[in-house]
């Protein structure tokens, strides 16, 4: 294995320190000693193959060493410090960047995936070689995926198609991108894959004859013009053919351009000369010419693309590029990121501009806490087609397909976006929801004062960068409004639970809450409640739980206080509660558990507010009993109950269309009065419905709960209990 790697190094890069590579090989072999792959082979085979792939990409000594030991920190006893001491901090940082967050336990698979991608992106901004190692690692894993269980095969193939193949595309590494896509296609859609392979193989003889004829014709015309060129014809990759068949609704017999020809020449001048000759030889198809030399793709890809008709009428694609462009087309950023004796052949400023999209992703991802939303937006950023527009000064800016002038305004600068009031395209005023097209000259019109974005812009813009900046503006501008809203919600909820917010929100109690939610002050808490990030009921509940009860009065003093207030109270019999045989003591029903006739209940003597009646299973009651059991009194329901009582229930179910309507239909059919309703969807796509209703007794309530449980998609219904 070591000989194979060293031979590969000799073929691709003579500046590699082979002694350090050998040292890394023996270190990896020792570290992984006894470990096996799913195939039963020694584990060391995998890191050696990863190092070979990195060598083929022409990468430097440190990267190849990191490829050899990329799993050491994650899967063996060796640590970051061990690697840094044995090799260098540079190598240790590369290995650490590739290492997954395996030691942390996540609640969901999506949360784990999102956090690993976040870590990888941050590592990429420090050193792009991290992702090059990760791509090589994934490529070899995909090559050996047949040894994994079928479920694992599909999981890995989908993740590869969703994340790693698009990343390779974004970095311009087409050689790896195409192989990752074809391998993923094979495991995700095996029937379609092998059917396509068979059908293409059946046309092989016919295709080879066509390729031979076209190569002969093109070679003759270039030789006559004295242009030195390499020409080859190749079949298109299976996944690209499959995508074309699916998107255009065609079968294999209707997809004629199954092959592409590549002409590689010495200079840009020769590229355009060859284009003219090709168009003289074959009839070009209108609208199918693309000049990626004048306007390179963001991943640095440069080439001339044209689709022409052969003499027998079959269409085929021709790509024309220089040898340097071809190297970049195959290995993208890696072709420019080759450390040779501590130097690189790309300017730092150029490199940073090529990787601008990574910084943009990191910028908006910091605002996105929902792992599912983060991954969806990340995939959109990776997959989105692009348009290229010009500013009035001639600067080329790339934007997602379907982008609007608002996207461009925020791409130029946040201040330009916030002041944007209109736009001109090719000198003509357009609406702000106009979809920009490649080649258009776009001028952003701004106001002298910052008007700020319109909330409707969030549904108009296409780039996550613009969405993040618009949300940030509203978050900043709405802070004062959300402070007032949050304060109102907290005070209202405290009152609902029978408390005064000022009393429960003592400084020592709030400090504990601030530490839990990472707040700096009460305003941060109020803002979080105001925008809905935290539920007011949860805050008040937490404050009550940690609040130190006031026990400065004795039970006798409290009873005396109750007696003094008898004239102001209703008799307990009218309320349906009897306190130890007494009929003239003020009682009230605790808002935290909302007892109804039929519930098992206990009373608790409060300070100056009579007896508070709780359900026996109330969590607040447990806390009160533990604090001062002498205040607890026996209570029971009387036989003269004529009113309805408020009960609160929580419903959990699948987030399907019409679920809330079905719940309300049951409520209506049972003639139940609704006091309040709150419905939302959780981060895990669970429907959560809170209902406050009026019922006569616990039997009526239980009958209603049973009917709600029978609704399709409902899997849990329970009474709210603090």
């Amino acid at each position: 294995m070591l000989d194979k790697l060293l031979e590969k190094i000799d073929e691709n890069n003579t500046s590699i320190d082979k002694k350090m590579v050998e040292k890394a090989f023996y270190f990896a072999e020792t570290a992984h000693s006894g470990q096996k792959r799913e195939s039963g082979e020694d584990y060391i085979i995998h890191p050696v193959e990863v190092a070979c792939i990195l060598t083929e990409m022409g990468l430097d000594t440190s990267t190849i060493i990191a490829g050899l030991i990329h799993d050491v920190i994650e899967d063996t006893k060796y640590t970051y410090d061990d690697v840094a001491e044995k090799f260098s901090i540079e190598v240790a940082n590369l290995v650490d960047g590739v290492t997954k967050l395996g030691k942390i336990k996540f609640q969901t698979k999506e949360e784990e995936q999102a956090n690993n991608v976040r870590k990888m992106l941050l590592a990429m901004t420090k050193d792009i070689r991290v992702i090059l190692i990760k791509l090589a690692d994934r490529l070899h894993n995909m090559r050996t995926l047949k040894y994994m269980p079928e479920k694992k095969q599909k999981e890995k193939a989908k993740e590869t198609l969703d994340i790693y193949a698009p990343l390779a595309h974004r970095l311009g590494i087409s050689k790896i991108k195409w192989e990752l896509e074809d391998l993923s296609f094979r495991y995700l859609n095996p029937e379609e894959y092998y059917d396509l392979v068979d059908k293409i193989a059946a046309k092989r003889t016919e295709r080879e004859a066509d390729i031979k004829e076209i190569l002969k014709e093109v070679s003759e015309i270039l030789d006559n013009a004295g242009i030195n060129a390499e020409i080859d014809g190749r079949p298109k990759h299976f996944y690209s053919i499959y995508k074309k068949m699916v998107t255009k609704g065609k079968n294999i017999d209707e997809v004629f351009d199954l092959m592409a020809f590549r002409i590689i020449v010495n200079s840009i001048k020769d590229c355009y000369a060859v284009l003219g000759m090709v168009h003289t030889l074959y009839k070009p198809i209108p609208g199918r010419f693309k000049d990626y030399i004048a306007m390179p793709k963001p991943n640095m890809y440069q080439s001339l693309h044209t689709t022409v008709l052969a003499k027998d009428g079959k269409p085929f694609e021709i790509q024309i590029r220089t040898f340097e462009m071809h190297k970049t087309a195959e290995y993208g950023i890696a072709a420019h990121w080759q450390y040779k004796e501590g130097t690189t052949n790309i300017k730092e400023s150029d490199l940073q501009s090529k990787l601008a999209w990574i910084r943009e992703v990191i910028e908006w991802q910091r605002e996105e806490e929902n792992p599912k939303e983060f991954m969806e937006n990340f995939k959109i950023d990776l997959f989105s087609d692009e348009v290229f527009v010009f500013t009035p000064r001639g600067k080329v800016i790339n934007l997602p397909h379907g982008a609007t002038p608002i996207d461009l305004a925020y791409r130029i600068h946040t201040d330009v976006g916030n002041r944007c009031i209109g736009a001109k395209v090719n000198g003509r005023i357009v609406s702000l929801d106009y979809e920009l097209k490649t080649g258009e000259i776009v001028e952003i019109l701004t106001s002298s004062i910052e008007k700020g974005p319109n909330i409707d812009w969030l549904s108009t813009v296409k780039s996550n960068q613009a969405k993040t900046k618009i949300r940030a503006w509203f978050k900043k501008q709405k802070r004062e409004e959300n402070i007032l809203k949050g304060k109102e919600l907290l005070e209202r909820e405290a009152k609902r639970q029978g408390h005064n917010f000022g009393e429960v929100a003592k400084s020592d109690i709030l400090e504990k809450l601030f530490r839990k939610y990472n707040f700096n002050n009460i305003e941060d808490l109020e803002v979080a409640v105001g925008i809905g990030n935290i539920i007011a009921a949860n805050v008040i509940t937490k404050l009550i739980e940690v609040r130190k009860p006031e026990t400065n009065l004795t039970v006798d003093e409290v009873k005396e206080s109750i007696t003094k207030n008898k004239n102001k109270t209703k008799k307990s019999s009218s309320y349906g509660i009897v306190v130890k045989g007494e009929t003239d003591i003020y009682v009230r029903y605790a808002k935290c558990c909302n007892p109804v006739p039929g519930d098992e209940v206990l009373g608790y003597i409060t300070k100056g507010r009579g007896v508070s009646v709780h359900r026996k299973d109330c969590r607040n009651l447990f806390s009160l009993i533990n604090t001062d059991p002498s205040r607890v009194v026996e209570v029971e329901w009387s036989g003269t109950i004529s009113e309805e009582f408020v009960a609160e229930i929580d419903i959990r179910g699948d987030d399907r269309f019409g679920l809330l309507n079905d719940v309300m239909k049951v409520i209506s059919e049972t003639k139940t009065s609704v006091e309040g309703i709150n419905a939302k969807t959780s981060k895990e796509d669970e429907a959560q419905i809170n209902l406050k209703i009026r019922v006569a007794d616990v039997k009526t309530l239980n009958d209603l709960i049973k009917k709600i449980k029978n609704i399709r998609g409902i899997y849990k219904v329970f009474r709210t209990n603090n």
Side-chain angles (χ1 to χ4, degrees), residues 342-393:
T343 62
T344 176
N345 60 349
I346 183 171
K347 292 180 182 177
E348 179 65 21
S349 57
D350 290 342
L351 177 72
Q352 291 306 317
S353 67
K354 303 302 181 188
L355 301 176
W357 68 274
I358 299 177
R359 294 197 304 277
E360 290 165 14
V361 169
I362 291 172
E363 181 182 337
W364 63 254
Q365 66 90 9
R366 287 195 182 103
E367 303 289 329
E368 185 53 73
E369 297 178 359
N370 186 324
K372 183 176 180 181
E373 288 292 322
F374 168 76
M375 288 309 300
E376 287 302 315
N377 288 334
F378 179 58
K379 290 171 190 175
I380 289 170
D381 264 14
L382 286 179
F383 275 110
S384 59
D385 292 327
E386 293 172 308
V387 294
F388 301 84
V389 297
F390 294 93
T391 65
R393 293 186 177 182

Side-chain angles (χ1 to χ4, degrees), residues 174-199:
S174 61
K175 192 174 180 66
I176 288 180
K177 177 215 175 192
W178 290 121
E179 189 173 354
L180 288 176
E181 285 184 339
D182 281 353
L183 287 167
S184 299
F185 176 34
R186 173 183 168 187
Y187 289 103
L188 285 174
N189 304 92
E191 290 185 14
E192 291 90 336
Y193 174 83
Y194 288 110
D195 181 57
L196 188 60
V197 170
D198 290 342
K199 286 178 177 175

Side-chain angles (χ1 to χ4, degrees), residues 126-367:
K126 297 174 185 175
D127 197 325
I128 192 63
R129 292 174 294 173
V130 167
I131 192 56
L132 302 180
I133 297 168
K134 190 65 187 173
L135 287 172
D137 170 50
R138 179 52 62 109
L139 178 57
H140 183 252
N141 281 332
M142 290 300 294
R143 286 173 177 174
T144 56
L145 199 59
K146 64 181 179 181
Y147 298 107
M148 302 290 284
E150 185 178 350
K151 182 182 177 184
K152 201 73 174 176
Q153 287 177 351
K154 290 192 178 298
E155 283 180 6
K156 289 290 183 186
K158 187 169 190 321
E159 185 180 55
T160 300
L161 203 56
D162 284 351
I163 298 174
Y164 293 100
L167 267 174
H169 170 67
R170 276 290 195 144
L171 297 170
I173 313 172
S174 61
K175 192 174 180 66
I176 288 180
K177 177 215 175 192
W178 290 121
E179 189 173 354
L180 288 176
E181 285 184 339
D182 281 353
L183 287 167
S184 299
F185 176 34
R186 173 183 168 187
Y187 289 103
L188 285 174
N189 304 92
E191 290 185 14
E192 291 90 336
Y193 174 83
Y194 288 110
D195 181 57
L196 188 60
V197 170
D198 290 342
K199 286 178 177 175
I200 291 176
K203 292 177 173 286
R204 181 178 175 182
T205 304
E206 178 186 344
R207 188 173 64 249
E208 285 180 346
D210 291 338
I211 290 174
K212 189 175 180 181
E213 180 64 26
I214 292 169
L215 286 176
K216 180 183 175 184
E217 292 170 350
V218 173
S219 296
E220 284 180 2
I221 194 172
L222 295 184
D223 287 342
N224 292 336
I227 294 178
N228 180 38
E230 282 186 11
I231 312 168
D232 69 87
R234 58 176 180 82
K236 290 196 172 180
H237 296 273
F238 296 126
Y239 185 66
S240 65
I241 296 171
Y242 173 72
K243 275 202 304 184
K244 183 172 287 189
M245 290 168 60
V246 171
T247 54
K248 296 188 176 181
K250 295 183 176 181
N251 59 45
I252 189 68
D253 295 321
E254 295 174 299
V255 180
F256 293 111
D257 54 338
L258 297 177
M259 55 185 176
F261 289 84
R262 188 181 293 139
I263 303 174
I264 307 174
V265 295
N266 292 318
S267 66
I268 293 176
K269 178 184 174 184
D270 286 345
C271 289
Y272 289 100
V274 170
L275 176 68
M277 295 176 195
V278 166
H279 282 180
T280 302
L281 187 60
Y282 305 108
K283 185 176 180 180
I285 298 178
R288 295 296 300 273
F289 168 67
K290 294 175 183 176
D291 187 345
Y292 292 121
I293 293 179
M295 295 177 63
K297 291 184 177 182
N299 62 10
M300 301 182 298
Y301 177 87
Q302 286 183 289
S303 190
L304 297 176
H305 286 201
T306 183
T307 303
V308 297
L309 294 174
K311 293 178 180 178
D312 59 0
K314 292 180 181 177
F316 65 94
E317 185 183 64
I318 292 181
Q319 300 168 0
I320 308 166
R321 63 182 71 143
T322 66
F323 287 97
E324 187 65 29
M325 291 174 191
H326 179 61
K327 187 178 179 184
T328 300
E330 292 284 289
Y331 293 112
I333 196 80
H336 294 274
W337 196 261
Q338 296 169 355
Y339 281 67
K340 294 180 181 177
E341 298 177 2
T343 62
T344 176
N345 60 349
I346 183 171
K347 292 180 182 177
E348 179 65 21
S349 57
D350 290 342
L351 177 72
Q352 291 306 317
S353 67
K354 303 302 181 188
L355 301 176
W357 68 274
I358 299 177
R359 294 197 304 277
E360 290 165 14
V361 169
I362 291 172
E363 181 182 337
W364 63 254
Q365 66 90 9
R366 287 195 182 103
E367 303 289 329

Side-chain angles (χ1 to χ4, degrees), residues 443-599:
E443 178 185 356
I444 302 298
L445 307 177
T446 58
S447 66
S448 57
I449 58 170
E450 186 180 276
K451 293 182 63 178
N454 187 311
I455 193 67
D456 293 335
W457 289 5
L458 283 172
S459 59
T460 302
V461 296
K462 297 298 181 185
S463 64
N464 286 310
Q465 180 194 31
K467 288 178 182 177
T468 300
K469 291 181 177 179
I470 292 168
R471 289 194 191 104
W473 189 90
F474 280 106
K475 187 176 180 180
K476 180 182 177 183
Q477 297 299 316
K478 298 281 184 176
R479 181 173 172 84
E480 292 299 324
E481 182 182 322
N482 284 320
I483 287 173
L484 294 173
K485 184 179 177 181
K487 188 174 183 179
E488 181 185 344
L489 288 170
L490 288 167
E491 289 176 347
R492 189 191 307 163
E493 180 60 29
K495 186 177 180 182
R496 188 188 75 80
Q497 295 192 27
H499 299 277
N500 179 284
F501 181 64
E503 290 179 5
V504 297
K506 302 293 185 182
S507 59
D508 57 331
I509 301 173
L510 282 173
E511 283 176 11
K512 295 178 182 177
L513 204 66
F514 292 163
R515 285 196 295 272
K516 178 180 178 182
Y517 291 107
N518 199 26
F519 293 141
N520 295 318
N521 49 49
I522 186 69
E523 288 185 350
D524 287 350
L525 172 63
E526 289 166 346
V527 167
V529 173
I531 63 179
N533 284 351
I534 299 178
I535 306 301
N538 293 345
V539 174
I540 300 301
T541 299
K542 194 69 181 175
L543 289 172
I544 293 171
E545 283 178 0
V546 298
R547 182 189 179 202
K548 296 177 181 178
E550 296 178 41
T551 55
N552 55 322
L553 293 181
T554 66
V555 175
D556 290 337
E557 287 172 332
V558 174
K559 288 180 178 178
E560 184 181 344
S561 174
I562 292 172
T563 305
K564 287 179 181 179
N565 285 301
K566 276 186 179 182
N567 295 332
K568 301 177 184 178
T569 65
K570 296 181 181 179
K571 291 186 177 181
S572 60
S573 58
S574 68
Y575 267 57
I577 285 288
V578 175
V579 181
K580 280 191 173 180
E582 296 289 335
T583 59
D584 205 17
I585 293 180
Y586 177 59
V587 298
R588 62 188 181 87
Y589 300 105
K591 300 290 186 183
C592 50
C593 57
N594 290 314
V596 300
D599 284 328

Side-chain angles (χ1 to χ4, degrees), residues 492 496 594 645-651 660 663-664 667 672-679 689-694 704 720:
R492 189 191 307 163
R496 188 188 75 80
N594 290 314
F645 292 74
V646 174
E648 191 171 345
I649 60 173
D650 277 331
I651 303 166
L660 182 59
V663 171
M664 295 310 295
I667 298 290
T672 303
S673 299
V674 178
E675 286 276 303
I677 183 169
N678 184 23
I689 304 170
N690 175 270
L691 281 175
K692 292 178 186 174
I693 53 178
R694 286 195 167 274
L704 178 63
T720 302

